[in-house]
Amino acid sequence: MRYTIEEICQMPEGQTFDCKSIHIEPKALANTIVAMANADGGMIAIGISDKNRRIEGIDQDKIHLNEILRTPFDFCVPTISVTTEFIPCQDSDGNDNHILIIHVPASPLLHANQADEVYWRVGDKSRKLPFEERLQLMYDKGERYYEDCPAYDATVEDIDMDAVKAYIKRIGYGKSPMEYLQENKGFLTYKGDVPQVSSACILLFGKRPQNFFPRARVRFIKYNGIEEKVGREMNVIKDVTFEGRILDQIQKTIDYLETQVKEHSYLGENGLFKTDREYPKFVIQEMTVNSVCHRDYSIKGTEIQIKMFDDRIVFETPGKLPGIVRTDNIRHTHFSRNPKIAEYLKAYDYVKEFGEGVDRMCRELSAIGIKEPQYHLVAFIMKATVWANILEEGQENTLHAPKLPESDQKDDETTQKNYPEKLPRKTTQKITEIQSRIIDYLRNNPMASRNAITSFIKDITEDGIKYNLKVLQEKGIIKRIGPDKGGYWKVLIDEAIE
């Protein structure tokens, strides 16, 4: 966007804008350029005094201007790819002149000045980072990954080789578990003769990861109402913690969250089952996976906290948004703080396609009229809020058998003739979304095999289909007629409807 001189003069100095005199030394200007590139990017107006906003212009000092133009190349390490433009103006002496605009992009790299000092933009100041914060910024930008750092005091004995074996079998690696750890991803390296076990190795394959990372866990807290209260008014009704390896944490957390999400399954006007949910299943999974996969494991003082209220779920994850990801580009920008952990979870189908998840979440929420997740940073905790699809009052996670005709209520014998024995006259049967979809499919495909049902539903294994078919039979909702081969499925609810 091209600004006028009037608009530029009215801009307040802040996170993404600064004014500098034409007399600024390139070494000093480099600190501002580095700070903006390391943070959110920004724009620097050269030729306007940052003390009194006096328009000095740049045309009168061509030699110094050329030094300023070389600053991103000569005084920034590595070079920062800025863009420049010249804005015509009248200087404070009434002469025709120009100011120089330097556009600084937010960079995925860590930049320093010639003295190897790293700056970060904070408000209208360029702040020099101490070593610890510089290291943290390197982790955030992916120049160094905390997951590659050795887990303090960890040895080969702390690795569960069966977990490694299961993983390499899944990815088709032909060598031994030990060879995989030594030859891939830096999971196991050596300092002299001493083995160095990486943090990622312990988090993914450790026998007891919490021995090394006590707060690398997920805590679920459910509140009664829409506020978080303390003291005598404390309204916590559930408080559960999930530990173990990362894959275990994710599986346990998602399974438990599914027990807390309200569903309403019912027969629609077209005779097909319909299920309304508070939160789409993919959203629950994606938010959980993102929290565990992308948390900053170098922050050891707190765990991931998932807080469920009556109207929303808040996922609180240690760590800022990584790299170049910002709240305004998170839907389409992917940057992994822990790429080895992300690659591992992709092999287990928890990370579907890199960079796709947030966009799909937004689309699924939009389809049911819910706004996109909201992200905001509080200190070093990223809070992501997902709003609930509030079900109508009286909706429950139940399937109701239809009321029997009066003639059948009067005659038990007639009732048994017209309705299956396993389906009571008045019953409340709980069914899941998967079971509802199985019922709909069997109504139109009674000859379907378990393999065919699995191919249709896709997001559940054949063993899962087998289990759900058994549950539906026990509840008297479906019935197998004839042998496994050559028989067919009968949806008993249809008989009650007819």
Side-chain angles (χ1 to χ4, degrees):
M1 178 179 180
R2 188 178 179 88
Y3 294 96
T4 65
I5 186 64
E6 292 77 18
E7 290 172 329
I8 293 170
C9 287
Q10 292 174 5
M11 288 182 182
E13 290 187 331
Q15 183 74 16
T16 58
F17 179 71
D18 207 345
C19 294
K20 296 296 179 185
S21 167
I22 182 59
H23 303 297
I24 188 171
E25 289 299 318
K27 288 183 179 180
L29 177 61
N31 295 341
T32 303
I33 296 175
V34 163
M36 286 185 172
N38 283 334
D40 301 318
M43 186 173 79
I44 305 171
I46 306 295
I48 300 177
S49 171
D50 54 347
K51 295 180 180 179
N52 54 23
R53 288 299 180 100
R54 179 173 174 268
I55 301 177
E56 302 170 345
I58 59 174
D59 294 351
Q60 66 276 18
D61 199 342
K62 298 292 186 181
I63 295 176
H64 193 62
L65 175 62
N66 287 333
E67 293 177 353
I68 286 175
L69 290 170
R70 292 200 306 269
T71 299
F73 307 94
D74 294 346
F75 295 92
C76 301
V77 182
T79 294
I80 299 172
S81 299
V82 304
T83 57
T84 59
E85 62 177 318
F86 295 91
I87 305 296
C89 67
Q90 262 197 347
D91 61 30
S92 57
D93 295 327
N95 300 316
D96 290 337
N97 213 317
H98 291 84
I99 62 170
L100 168 68
I101 300 296
I102 301 176
H103 295 279
V104 184
S107 175
L109 304 177
L110 180 79
H111 295 274
N113 61 17
Q114 270 194 326
D116 197 34
E117 297 169 327
V118 172
Y119 284 81
W120 176 263
R121 190 74 176 175
V122 181
D124 62 350
K125 304 296 182 185
S126 297
R127 177 171 168 265
K128 182 180 174 181
L129 297 184
F131 174 77
E132 294 78 8
E133 293 184 28
R134 175 176 179 163
L135 188 62
Q136 185 62 56
L137 184 58
M138 291 175 73
Y139 292 147
D140 289 343
K141 287 181 173 287
E143 294 206 359
R144 286 186 63 180
Y145 295 109
Y146 181 78
E147 64 176 2
D148 291 333
C149 295
Y152 180 72
D153 215 23
T155 70
V156 175
E157 295 301 316
D158 296 304
I159 304 172
D160 186 338
M161 290 300 175
D162 287 338
V164 182
K165 186 176 181 180
Y167 177 65
I168 64 176
K169 180 179 179 181
R170 189 172 186 91
I171 64 175
Y173 184 82
K175 298 182 182 180
S176 70
M178 180 59 76
E179 287 174 305
Y180 176 77
L181 295 176
Q182 292 173 330
E183 298 176 5
N184 296 272
K185 314 300 181 187
F187 287 131
L188 184 60
T189 57
Y190 289 86
K191 190 174 184 179
D193 295 331
V194 180
Q196 305 284 304
V197 182
S198 75
S199 297
C201 185
I202 291 296
L203 290 166
L204 297 175
F205 306 116
K207 293 177 180 176
R208 290 172 292 277
Q210 280 67 43
N211 286 355
F212 303 92
F213 303 95
R215 306 300 286 274
R217 61 191 187 189
V218 180
R219 182 181 176 194
F220 172 79
I221 309 170
K222 187 172 184 178
Y223 295 89
N224 182 26
I226 61 173
E227 296 180 42
E228 183 177 340
K229 299 179 181 179
V230 296
R232 291 185 178 181
E233 296 184 334
M234 182 176 287
N235 56 336
V236 174
I237 55 178
K238 291 185 186 295
D239 192 338
V240 186
T241 299
F242 306 102
E243 296 187 340
R245 292 186 286 271
I246 279 180
L247 185 62
D248 297 329
Q249 289 183 40
I250 289 174
Q251 291 172 334
K252 292 174 185 176
T253 303
I254 292 173
D255 288 346
Y256 190 82
L257 282 174
E258 281 295 306
T259 70
Q260 303 303 306
V261 174
K262 295 177 183 177
E263 288 184 342
H264 175 224
S265 295
Y266 55 94
L267 286 168
E269 295 179 358
N270 58 359
L272 300 178
F273 281 99
K274 183 178 179 182
T275 299
D276 293 332
R277 288 172 54 100
E278 277 187 300
Y279 305 95
K281 188 170 185 177
F282 180 80
V283 172
I284 292 293
Q285 175 175 306
E286 183 68 13
M287 292 299 293
T288 302
V289 170
N290 282 348
S291 294
V292 177
C293 181
H294 300 302
R295 74 156 283 177
D296 187 341
Y297 286 96
S298 70
I299 299 174
K300 299 182 174 67
T302 186
E303 67 272 287
I304 295 167
Q305 294 191 4
I306 302 175
K307 298 179 178 179
M308 176 179 272
F309 301 87
D310 289 353
D311 62 344
R312 68 195 186 281
I313 300 179
V314 182
F315 293 77
E316 299 185 357
T317 307
K320 299 178 290 184
L321 290 173
I324 60 174
V325 179
R326 300 289 183 267
T327 55
D328 60 349
N329 68 9
I330 191 171
R331 183 165 178 174
H332 301 289
T333 302
H334 176 77
F335 188 99
S336 180
R337 175 179 279 117
N338 305 297
K340 293 178 178 61
I341 293 173
E343 185 175 352
Y344 171 91
L345 292 174
K346 191 173 190 299
Y348 282 95
D349 297 326
Y350 278 112
V351 176
K352 299 296 184 185
E353 291 295 336
F354 290 128
E356 180 224 27
V358 176
D359 183 52
R360 178 176 166 185
M361 276 199 305
C362 294
R363 285 187 277 111
E364 291 204 7
L365 289 169
S366 176
I368 57 175
I370 305 299
K371 60 185 176 182
E372 297 179 3
Q374 294 179 310
Y375 298 86
H376 65 284
L377 185 69
V378 179
F380 56 88
I381 302 294
M382 178 55 61
K383 296 188 177 184
T385 301
V386 181
W387 298 95
N389 174 29
I390 304 298
L391 303 180
E392 294 180 10
E393 186 176 353
Q395 288 184 344
E396 298 175 354
N397 182 24
T398 58
L399 169 65
H400 296 283
K403 185 177 180 181
L404 299 178
E406 288 187 8
S407 59
D408 288 333
Q409 292 181 28
K410 296 176 182 178
D411 191 338
D412 286 342
E413 186 174 342
T414 306
T415 299
Q416 294 299 327
K417 178 179 178 182
N418 290 324
Y419 296 90
E421 183 178 352
K422 289 187 178 180
L423 185 64
R425 295 181 187 179
K426 295 181 179 181
T427 185
T428 299
Q429 302 281 12
K430 293 184 179 181
I431 65 168
T432 66
E433 179 191 10
I434 291 292
Q435 291 166 1
S436 173
R437 290 161 65 188
I438 290 173
I439 292 168
D440 288 341
Y441 185 70
L442 293 182
R443 179 179 290 105
N444 297 315
N445 303 274
M447 304 293 292
S449 63
R450 284 201 302 265
N451 182 265
I453 301 171
T454 305
S455 298
F456 174 76
I457 294 183
K458 293 184 176 156
D459 51 358
I460 188 171
T461 64
E462 187 169 341
D463 285 341
I465 292 293
K466 180 179 179 181
Y467 168 79
N468 282 284
L469 288 172
K470 180 181 178 183
V471 170
L472 289 172
Q473 289 180 85
E474 290 173 348
K475 290 181 176 181
I477 296 173
I478 65 173
K479 183 177 181 180
R480 182 70 182 177
I481 307 296
D484 289 343
K485 292 185 178 181
Y488 64 95
W489 293 101
K490 195 169 189 179
V491 180
L492 300 177
I493 287 294
D494 279 351
E495 291 187 352
I497 293 173
E498 291 170 359

